[in-house]
Amino acid sequence: MKKYSIVIAGGGSTFTPEILLLLLSQQDRLPLRELKLYDNDAERQAIVGDACAIIMKEQAPNIKFSYTTDPKAAFTDVDFVMAHIRVGKYEMRSLDEKIPLKYGVVGQETCGPGGMSYGMRSIGGVIELIDFMEKYSPDAWMLNYSNPAAIVAEATRRLKPNSKVLNICDMPIGIEDSMASILGLKSRKEMQVSYYGLNHFGWWTSIIEKSTGKDLMPKLHEHVSKHGYAGYPGFHADEDWTDTFTMAKKVHDLDPTTLPNTYLKYYLYPDHVVGHSDINYTRTDMVKAGREKEVFGECRSIVEKGTAKDSKFEIGGHATYIVDLATAITSNTGERMLLIVPNEGAISNFDADAMVEIPCIVGYSGPQPLTVGEIPRFQKGLMEQQIAVEKLVVEAWIEGSYLKLWQALTLSRMVPSASVAKQILDDLIEANKGFWPKLK
Ligand code: NAD
Ligand code: G6P
Ligand code: MN
């Protein structure tokens, strides 16, 4: 079997150790000859990289391992780039959350003004990774899960239409894990789903049992209409997610015929979200005190002991979708997966040039989207407004247009008026100096 070479971009990410362990656990279907980490923050990456080097030496001495900040060393001779960068790191995520809240508007990593702010930073970072990949390994594929995926995907469609980049999100997978638990199934893979929407903005329309064709929607509707997805958190196990999983019930109330993505809470109940936010302690503060502290603490402890033998790190089971995607390409598995792809008629009554999240069959040549057909007026109306926001952000980035970014913020469901949009925008411009292109 052919052996592959992978670079993880954003090597200093809190998710790197669990993904590395996952890759080691999947050697029967995606055998590796080399694994590299790449980051533009040497210090942050070294903490993770030194611990990973010990894990690799102990568990996979035959796989060459290194970490670097040199793009040439990182991107030469690779088959896959797995990208999870966070341009501006947690420091800027924190401001994305806190600045809108100052004006009583939702402050969130990927939704509303915070997501647009993050998008304006991410586009350049992800495009740079694509350039490195195409320069040093022109045949490689990039599997991108850097956020905000909706805006990043639209930017890749506009700026790199012929590049081998696949944009994917783990939220539907997390929710499907919960659904499988609600149904008493062993795995979400026992279900075959139909779904449509934009990233962090979509609905399941059908869920059947793969082996029998049995309709699983009635049982799920019954549960979600009472409890949302709460009680079955899957990999989103921390307390803060409980509200999000519970609120799915109220999102479901608006269309009891479909099952919603949890992120719709931010668009449909922004008043609830703002009411439950603390401007002095937002999600970033929780992640820093939780995931970052744990992961970096464990990395330091591995390095101190010089061994990972009794390490607390676990295989990132939920990240299996990344290996599923890679093997769909290397082994032509034809797996059905939700990806963020150009619509091109799949949703017949929606913009052909919108990046939509829909089921695709994935094989050697990448994704083949499945037909969705017509979507109802409620979803179409919401999606048209949101896709306009996402496209305006990308146009603002390309053209350096203040006006288009102001229009994007004004058009967002979460922003009450053009004047509030302008105040938030002016604060974000100040905070993002050095990260955003100059706006005229
Ligand atoms: P993190 O801050 O811990 O890690 C990100 C790393 O990226 C940092 O080490 C940082 O130095 C590095 N980085 C920033 N800009 C870079 C650049 N231009 N080039 C190279 N490296 C760069 O963040 P995290 O919480 O671990 O999340 C990582 C990313 O994964 C985020 O974008 C997050 O939103 C995303 N994510 C996506 C999904 C999904 O479903 N799509 C799920 C989880 C996380
Ligand atoms: C989900 C989403 C990701 C998002 C993450 C946030 O998994 O699909 O796109 O980045 O949640 O998690 P965090 O713990 O960083 O708030
Ligand atoms: Mn996501």
Side-chain angles (χ1 to χ4, degrees), residues 87-378:
V87 180
K89 295 175 275 189
Y90 291 131
E91 197 189 332
M92 293 308 297
R93 176 177 178 178
S94 179
L95 294 173
D96 291 345
E97 292 164 352
K98 291 177 173 80
I99 289 171
L101 276 174
K102 229 169 88 184
Y103 300 95
V105 170
V106 172
Q108 214 279 328
E109 179 194 22
T110 63
C111 305
M116 293 182 232
S117 173
Y118 187 12
M120 290 291 285
R121 294 195 301 277
S122 260
I123 295 172
V126 172
I127 297 293
E128 184 183 65
L129 297 181
I130 298 173
D131 286 338
F132 290 148
M133 174 176 89
E134 294 188 333
K135 179 166 178 198
Y136 298 115
S137 287
D139 295 330
W141 282 91
M142 180 182 292
L143 313 183
N144 179 58
Y145 36 102
S146 312
N147 268 318
I151 290 169
V152 167
E154 169 64 8
T156 59
R157 187 193 70 83
R158 280 290 303 271
L159 299 168
K160 297 281 167 190
N162 301 315
S163 297
K164 290 162 78 175
V165 182
L166 296 178
N167 293 291
I168 189 161
C169 168
D170 68 3
M171 194 69 248
I173 288 156
I175 298 168
E176 286 171 21
D177 279 345
S178 307
M179 291 172 175
S181 306
I182 291 166
L183 293 163
L185 302 175
K186 280 203 197 74
S187 154
R188 66 179 174 86
K189 296 225 176 176
E190 291 174 39
M191 312 184 304
Q192 177 171 299
V193 311
S194 297
Y195 179 97
Y196 71 84
L198 312 174
N199 177 239
H200 289 184
F201 204 100
W203 296 264
W204 282 266
T205 53
S206 130
I207 300 178
I208 60 170
E209 189 171 41
K210 235 186 233 169
S211 59
T212 60
K214 184 180 162 197
D215 182 2
L216 301 173
M217 290 292 262
K219 189 161 175 203
L220 288 169
H221 282 310
E222 195 194 320
H223 183 94
V224 175
S225 65
K226 289 196 200 109
H227 315 288
Y229 304 112
Y232 301 91
F235 59 86
H236 288 112
D238 73 26
E239 238 177 73
D240 186 49
W241 276 95
T242 307
D243 178 67
T244 299
F245 275 62
T246 308
M247 279 300 283
K249 164 184 152 39
K250 291 209 160 184
V251 178
H252 181 257
D253 286 344
L254 272 152
D255 178 10
T257 69
T258 57
L259 291 165
N261 190 302
T262 44
Y263 274 92
L264 288 161
K265 126 179 150 168
Y266 296 103
Y267 297 92
L268 301 175
Y269 295 99
D271 47 351
H272 165 94
V273 172
V274 173
H276 286 76
S277 298
D278 173 358
I279 193 169
N280 297 311
Y281 199 77
T282 56
R283 179 68 194 162
T284 302
D285 302 294
M286 297 175 206
V287 170
K288 281 176 71 87
R291 188 170 69 238
E292 187 185 43
K293 195 161 166 244
E294 277 161 32
V295 169
F296 280 62
E298 188 57 23
C299 284
R300 289 196 174 97
S301 143
I302 289 173
V303 172
E304 255 165 46
K305 291 184 196 145
T307 175
K309 291 238 158 74
D310 53 0
S311 146
K312 283 187 234 134
F313 282 139
E314 285 175 8
I315 297 169
H318 95 267
T320 314
Y321 71 96
I322 300 164
V323 177
D324 292 342
L325 184 56
T327 51
I329 292 166
T330 57
S331 307
N332 203 32
T333 61
E335 183 161 343
R336 179 171 165 145
M337 304 184 80
L338 299 182
L339 293 175
I340 307 161
V341 292
N343 183 30
E344 286 167 0
I347 302 174
S348 56
N349 54 344
F350 198 62
D351 307 50
D353 66 355
M355 292 302 277
V356 293
E357 198 166 90
I358 52 175
C360 301
I361 301 297
V362 192
Y364 285 140
S365 52
Q368 301 236 311
L370 296 175
T371 301
V372 174
E374 269 200 23
I375 59 171
R377 192 175 307 282
F378 175 63

